[in-house]
Amino acid sequence: MLLMREAWAESDVRPLAAPVEIKAGEAGSIRVLRGQLLRITALGEGAVASLFGFSLTDPAVWLSVHHTRVFSNSYLLGSGMRLVNNRRRPVMVLGKDNVKRHDLLLPGSTRAWLAQQGYEGEGCIEAVQGELARLNMDVPKLPDPINLFMHVRLTREGEILPETNRTQPGDSITCRVVADTLFIASACCTGIEGNDKPAPLRLSVAENLSAFGGE
């Protein structure tokens, strides 16, 4: 099963990151080791989590939405789908998902672009750059994110149509991570109609599903 825990030797040191709560309009990060579960939870109505990931051993290797689309031959993120890095190697596998509406097409927002659209505040890109600076982590490139919980639709004519976000507090996705990764999530305004009301998020890690408790 996708969310079953792998067998680990008793001598293995498996530090478990503490949960991280991200305020609306900010970004936060969490370290997840190979074999652990990552859960991303909406803490407010209409939440969108713009997700980035960088290898803990080589920051030139990152979670790539472009390679994920090609690798899976899909614009839709579904259960059992492998999310891959820019070297086309799996980073994590999507398991539990009670939202089932995510975007694999749109770039992260910037302060300048938000201002052009009539929004105030920091963009997704600046917030993630700030989190990387706080961690003293240099990366060669900031890729496009995977926009979890974002409600958009792709028409047969190729149009991307935003739809009203119906994400509710407590909605979440859970993935089995298969490579040691630093994940960064932005809860900033996307500037996308219907998905433009920032809400807080929680990132949490566990070895198995039962360890998440009442989340």
Side-chain angles (χ1 to χ4, degrees):
M1 297 293 292
L2 292 175
L3 296 181
M4 288 181 63
R5 184 183 179 213
E6 296 185 38
W8 299 97
E10 290 185 3
S11 59
D12 286 346
V13 177
R14 305 273 303 160
L16 202 65
V20 174
E21 293 200 0
I22 304 171
K23 296 179 181 179
E26 298 183 1
S29 62
I30 197 165
R31 293 173 177 248
V32 189
L33 301 182
R34 181 172 64 94
Q36 293 177 339
L37 295 173
L38 169 65
R39 176 165 290 179
I40 301 171
T41 305
L43 298 181
E45 185 177 347
V48 172
S50 297
L51 185 69
F52 300 76
F54 297 92
S55 167
L56 287 176
T57 57
D58 183 358
V61 177
W62 57 77
L63 179 63
S64 172
V65 67
H66 305 297
H67 291 84
T68 294
R69 290 195 303 261
V70 174
F71 184 86
S72 300
N73 193 32
S74 177
Y75 289 104
L76 302 175
L77 183 59
S79 295
M81 187 169 171
R82 286 179 287 179
L83 287 75
V84 305
N85 61 31
N86 55 315
R87 297 181 183 174
R88 302 191 182 188
R89 301 296 301 168
V91 175
M92 59 183 178
V93 181
L94 178 59
K96 298 191 67 174
D97 177 9
N98 67 337
V99 179
K100 298 181 174 61
R101 297 293 297 273
H102 312 285
D103 168 64
L104 298 179
L105 294 168
L106 297 171
S109 62
T110 63
R111 183 190 296 272
W113 187 79
L114 287 175
Q116 291 176 5
Q117 305 303 310
Y119 298 96
E120 296 181 353
E122 194 168 50
C124 167
I125 298 303
E126 288 86 5
V128 172
Q129 289 172 335
E131 180 66 7
L132 288 167
R134 185 185 72 82
L135 297 169
N136 197 28
M137 184 173 181
D138 292 322
V139 299
K141 177 182 177 179
L142 196 58
D144 286 340
I146 292 173
N147 295 305
L148 300 172
F149 313 143
M150 185 184 285
H151 287 47
V152 296
R153 178 167 56 90
L154 184 67
T155 70
R156 290 184 178 181
E157 292 74 27
E159 293 179 287
I160 301 174
L161 298 181
E163 297 186 338
T164 301
N165 188 305
R166 296 182 176 86
T167 305
Q168 296 296 314
D171 284 345
S172 69
I173 70 161
T174 305
C175 297
R176 177 68 74 182
V177 174
V178 297
D180 296 351
T181 304
L182 171 75
F183 291 98
I184 304 177
S186 167
C188 293
C189 179
T190 66
I192 304 299
E193 184 180 357
N195 297 267
D196 52 359
K197 296 180 180 179
L201 305 165
R202 180 171 59 241
L203 310 180
S204 50
V205 181
E207 294 285 0
N208 50 64
L209 283 173
S210 61
F212 285 118
E215 287 192 22

